[in-house]
Amino acid sequence: MKQLRCEIIGNCHLYLGDVLEVLPQLETKVADLACFDPPYSSGGAFRGDRMQSTKTKYQSNGVKEAKPLFSGDNRDQRGYLAWCSLWLAQLESVLKPGAICCLFTDWRQLPTTTDALQAGGFVWRGILPWDKCNARPMPGRFTSQCEYVVWGTNGPREFSTVDATYHPGILRHPAPTGPKRKHSTQKPVEILTELVQVAADGETVLDAFMGSGSTGVACVQTGRKFIGIEKDPTYFKIACDRIHEATAEAAAA
């Protein structure tokens, strides 16, 4: 079995590798929440559209600082469904019974993502819209104002009102811009802070598509443990640096 590179930063364990290589090597029943933002493989009706680089697809022509490319964004819907089903089936053994799994997606891949969650063995529970607030206007048609979080549970889960916590039904915060934006599809730390609080203080959150490390930063800021996986060395370093910085700030507070 391939030796994994792991960086340990406080209560965060960060793995450099592909999701399908790393998940089988993790401890079983270790995570209380999975919060994933996989590459959507969305936005193209034809093969030629899907073969665009992520720079062409996600970054404006006038952008001052181009973000590093990332892979895995060129599958068609059938390929995307098959791929997601593979790692979701592996994820089932890494999560504790009843743990929640949250998957980001867009409107094109929303039906496929709900199918993949169920094909992976999870109980589909609902959809949480993310209102991006400052979405780009679209002439002659409705603005793509929202992306979505598809969520479900690893088998049955008790939803008791005793000592219950309550969570929002809509996430509202603009995507990061300027120097704060390290990844071309980066999610705001603020909405990840809301999501990770589904896990209790001190519990463990898993993100197998760590990207620039925003979920890890949210975990550090809210007192959760974190397991992150990222296959791209450039983004792995960015994530390590951001989580180092967040950990130092938390220690100094």
Side-chain angles (χ1 to χ4, degrees):
M1 189 170 288
K2 182 179 178 180
Q3 184 68 33
L4 298 176
R5 175 183 169 186
C6 179
E7 295 285 337
I8 301 176
I9 306 170
N11 287 324
C12 302
H13 287 66
L14 313 180
Y15 294 91
L16 176 61
D18 184 85
V19 58
L20 293 171
E21 294 176 341
V22 179
L23 283 180
Q25 298 191 53
L26 296 181
E27 181 182 345
T28 60
K29 311 301 180 190
V30 68
D32 302 278
L33 168 68
C35 187
F36 290 4
D37 184 18
Y40 294 172
S41 291
S42 184
F46 305 100
R47 184 176 184 276
D49 300 330
R50 295 192 301 274
M51 298 309 291
Q52 298 179 92
S53 74
T54 54
K55 178 180 183 299
T56 302
K57 190 172 180 180
Y58 294 111
Q59 299 178 44
S60 302
N61 291 332
V63 67
K64 293 182 179 179
E65 181 184 355
K67 304 298 182 290
L69 304 180
F70 61 92
S71 63
D73 200 57
N74 57 355
R75 297 175 175 90
D76 63 17
Q77 283 194 315
R78 292 176 67 184
Y80 186 75
L81 174 60
W83 174 68
C84 289
S85 300
L86 288 173
W87 49 259
L88 281 163
Q90 291 184 346
L91 175 64
E92 189 180 7
S93 65
V94 178
L95 291 179
K96 295 177 182 177
I100 287 177
C101 176
C102 295
L103 305 176
F104 280 93
T105 191
D106 69 356
W107 67 269
R108 295 179 185 88
Q109 294 287 39
L110 181 57
T112 304
T113 304
T114 61
D115 287 347
L117 185 73
Q118 295 170 89
F122 289 82
V123 180
W124 178 27
R125 298 287 187 175
I127 298 168
L128 180 63
W130 166 35
D131 178 359
K132 296 184 286 187
C133 302
N134 57 357
R136 182 176 60 188
M138 306 295 286
R141 51 181 167 157
F142 298 108
T143 298
S144 295
Q145 186 83 11
C146 290
E147 293 183 20
Y148 305 92
V149 178
V150 174
W151 73 278
T153 57
N154 188 19
R157 179 183 176 99
E158 181 181 353
F159 294 98
S160 172
T161 58
V162 179
D163 298 323
T165 57
Y166 295 85
H167 306 282
I170 298 176
L171 303 169
R172 288 190 177 95
H173 204 278
T177 58
K180 292 183 178 181
R181 192 177 183 93
K182 306 298 183 182
H183 193 292
S184 53
T185 64
Q186 184 175 326
K187 302 302 184 288
V189 170
E190 291 82 359
I191 66 169
L192 292 164
T193 297
E194 294 188 70
L195 289 177
V196 302
Q197 291 184 68
V198 171
D201 291 351
E203 291 189 336
T204 299
V205 178
L206 171 66
D207 184 353
F209 302 92
M210 181 169 59
S212 58
S214 297
T215 307
V217 171
C219 287
V220 171
Q221 292 177 348
T222 59
R224 272 83 180 156
K225 299 174 184 176
F226 178 65
I227 299 172
I229 302 170
E230 173 55 44
K231 70 181 294 185
D232 183 274
T234 300
Y235 281 117
F236 182 78
K237 183 181 185 306
I238 291 172
C240 288
D241 290 345
R242 290 184 71 206
I243 291 169
H244 263 299
E245 182 180 356
T247 301
E249 290 176 352

